[in-house]
């Protein structure tokens, strides 16, 4: 099969019997639902840009398994250059959608499972890697969107999976049959899950032997029996339900999406199982997926580009683009944005080849990258709000702008720079609101904090990867310490 277009992708979703609930009710037609549709449009861009000659070098590549032209979101990175192209693609996508485009979680899961299954097989004599390669070719050939799913609800954080009062707090193997397994549990915050053809499941933490039933990785179609989703609502989401909603949305075309995905006794055939109780490898899989996804937050740099542009436009419409403090704030926003980018680039250029042949990012730098992402988008958002002014959150609605009585008053008093169009000014302010406080803020703000692991998860990895002992040794040498004199 050739690469799908965005339109073909949207149509392909209609063929799935996806079970999704929102506001307590089943959504009969998720594809055309006004709350869901912008997130589908974002994913569709990953298809459309693959057909654009300007971007095909970033958006497509050659499968190392089949030699076919494939979308880069389905690719196993074969070089450092591939790792760099991956993040350039993500920055581009952030610029084009100003939101989360969701397809990265599948790409990151592909790469993490690819190298981990190779290493499990080598030690255990299993055949997960071959199975996974077949599954990957299926996804590549059909140009699928895959929800790479890691995060479990976790219940009581002070207890391990097997200690939970309710065993479903972590996805687990309920039954092993000759032809497959039955799984139960849920994955939380699942990015793009409703817009995906497949769910690709991984464990969420390193496991101990007693948690072996929770060390499971598998794939199921999104509409598999027993799988259903409950849509995660976003700030200002019901604005999308208003008649002719446009200006007040800030971004009337694109958006992100998260959902709670529930596995209510789901059967998984053997050929779709990629880890089954190999608890010793759970940590490796988690570390690699998290590392890839921490690199992936180059997407925030792309969305940041749009936000910086919007803040600069707001200054133009306010008539103050030359004020020195405004110029300095925009420089600061750019500095922060490019610092995140520098880390994404660094962890890619320092990538290493795994035993499987696939390339892995430098884990220390990927974690430093994500640690910056837990902070800098907040600072960038603060500066954008500073430049935008309070009007961003006190402004009358689109209906007021268009109202017979209110319209002329809104036009008159919301005018900024002489000659500037009032509606344009309102549109820019709503875009800033959307990214910093509205529907896109899920992806730009709170996801920057918790997506791909909360800040503490990166600090643990930085401690583990930072090799403090070697640094102490460097200091000992320079200071000419005689350790034989120490008694501790
Ligand atoms: Fe991709 Fe960024 Fe969305 Fe994660 S948050 S799926 S990296 S766009
Ligand atoms: Fe994410």
């Amino acid at each position: 099969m050739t690469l799908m277009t965005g339109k073909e992708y949207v149509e392909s979703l209609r063929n799935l019997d996806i079970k999704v609930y929102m506001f307590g009710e089943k959504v009969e037609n998720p594809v055309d639902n006004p709350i869901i549709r912008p997130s589908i449009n974002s994913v569709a861009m990953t298809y459309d840009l693959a057909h654009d000659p300007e971007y095909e070098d970033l958006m497509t590549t050659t499968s190392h398994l089949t030699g076919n032209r494939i979308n880069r979101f389905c690719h196993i990175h074969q070089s450092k250059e591939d790792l760099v192209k991956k993040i350039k693609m993500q920055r581009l996508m952030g610029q084009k959608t100003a939101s989360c485009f969701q397809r990265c979680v599948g790409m990151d899961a592909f790469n993490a499972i690819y190298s981990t299954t190779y290493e499990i097989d080598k030690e255990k004599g299993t055949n997960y890697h071959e199975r996974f390669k077949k599954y990957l070719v299926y996804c590549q050939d059909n140009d699928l969107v895959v929800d790479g799913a890691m995060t479990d609800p976790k219940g009581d954080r002070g207890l391990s999976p097997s200690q939970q009062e309710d065993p479903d707090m972590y996805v687990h193997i309920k039954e092993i049959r000759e032809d497959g397994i039955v799984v139960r549990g849920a994955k939380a915050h699942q990015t793009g899950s409703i817009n995906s053809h497949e769910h690709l499941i991984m464990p969420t933490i390193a496991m101990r032997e007693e948690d072996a039933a929770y060390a499971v990785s598998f794939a199921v179609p999104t509409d598999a029996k027993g799988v259903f989703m409950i849509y995660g609502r976003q700030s200002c989401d019901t604005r999308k339900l208003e008649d002719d909603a446009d200006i007040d949305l800030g971004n009337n075309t694109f958006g992100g999406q998260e959902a709670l995905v529930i596995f209510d006794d789901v059967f998984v055939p053997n050929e779709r199982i990629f880890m089954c109780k190999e608890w010793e490898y759970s940590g490796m899989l988690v570390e690699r997926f998290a590392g890839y996804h921490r690199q992936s937050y180059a997407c925030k740099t792309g969305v940041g580009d749009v936000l910086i542009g919007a803040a600069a436009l707001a200054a133009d419409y306010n008539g103050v683009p030359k004020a020195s403090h405004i110029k300095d704030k925009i420089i600061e926003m750019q500095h922060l944005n490019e610092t995140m980018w520098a880390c994404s680039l660094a962890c890619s250029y320092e990538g290493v080849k795994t035993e499987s042949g696939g390339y892995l990012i430098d884990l220390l730098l990927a974690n430093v990258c994500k640690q910056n992402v837990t902070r800098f988008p907040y600072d960038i958002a603060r500066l954008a709000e500073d430049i935008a002014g309070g009007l961003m959150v006190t402004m009358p609605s689109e209906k007021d702008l268009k109202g017979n009585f209110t319209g002329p008053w809104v036009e008159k008093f919301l005018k900024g720079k002489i000659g500037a169009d009032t509606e344009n000014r309102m549109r820019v302010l709503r875009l800033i609101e959307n990214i910093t406080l509205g529907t896109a803020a899920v992806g730009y703000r709170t996801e920057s904090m918790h997506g791909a692991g909360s800040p503490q998860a990166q600090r643990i990895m930085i401690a583990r990867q930072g090799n403090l002992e070697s640094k102490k040794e460097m200091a000992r040498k320079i200071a000419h310490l005689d350790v034989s004199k120490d008694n501790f």
Side-chain angles (χ1 to χ4, degrees), residues 276-398:
C276 186
K277 295 195 170 181
E278 288 79 12
W279 57 272
E280 314 92 307
Y281 284 88
S282 185
M284 177 189 285
L285 184 50
V286 171
E287 215 167 76
R288 291 184 181 180
F289 173 77
Y292 281 123
H293 208 54
R294 288 167 195 175
Q295 171 210 25
S296 281
Y297 278 19
C299 68
K300 310 296 181 227
T301 316
V303 179
D305 288 327
V306 179
L307 183 56
I308 293 166
L313 286 173
D316 290 346
Y317 283 105
N318 287 346
V320 290
K322 296 209 172 80
S324 63
H325 75 100
I326 297 285
K327 284 200 278 190
D328 194 54
K329 281 165 188 158
I330 289 172
I331 290 167
E332 177 65 8
M333 292 166 86
Q334 288 177 299
H335 165 72
L336 293 166
N337 209 38
E338 299 303 334
T339 304
M340 290 193 287
W341 178 239
C343 275
S344 279
L345 278 175
C347 72
S348 307
Y349 277 116
E350 287 293 305
V352 289
K353 194 175 186 173
T354 63
E355 290 180 43
S356 68
Y359 269 70
L360 181 66
I361 57 305
D362 180 281
L363 285 174
L364 174 60
L365 292 172
N367 278 278
V368 171
C369 173
K370 172 68 211 310
Q371 184 79 180
N372 284 342
V373 172
T374 64
R375 300 169 182 168
F376 296 176
Y378 285 83
D379 284 344
I380 294 170
R382 183 178 64 78
L383 290 164
E385 289 181 34
D386 182 349
I387 294 169
L391 189 61
M392 182 187 99
V393 289
T394 64
M395 191 164 58
S397 71
E398 177 173 1

Side-chain angles (χ1 to χ4, degrees), residues 149-169:
M150 180 160 278
T151 311
D152 293 270
K154 297 197 200 88
D156 186 332
R157 269 60 171 173
L159 300 174
S160 73
S162 56
Q163 291 169 336
Q164 298 289 326
E165 189 174 64
D166 180 350
D168 296 346
M169 286 304 165

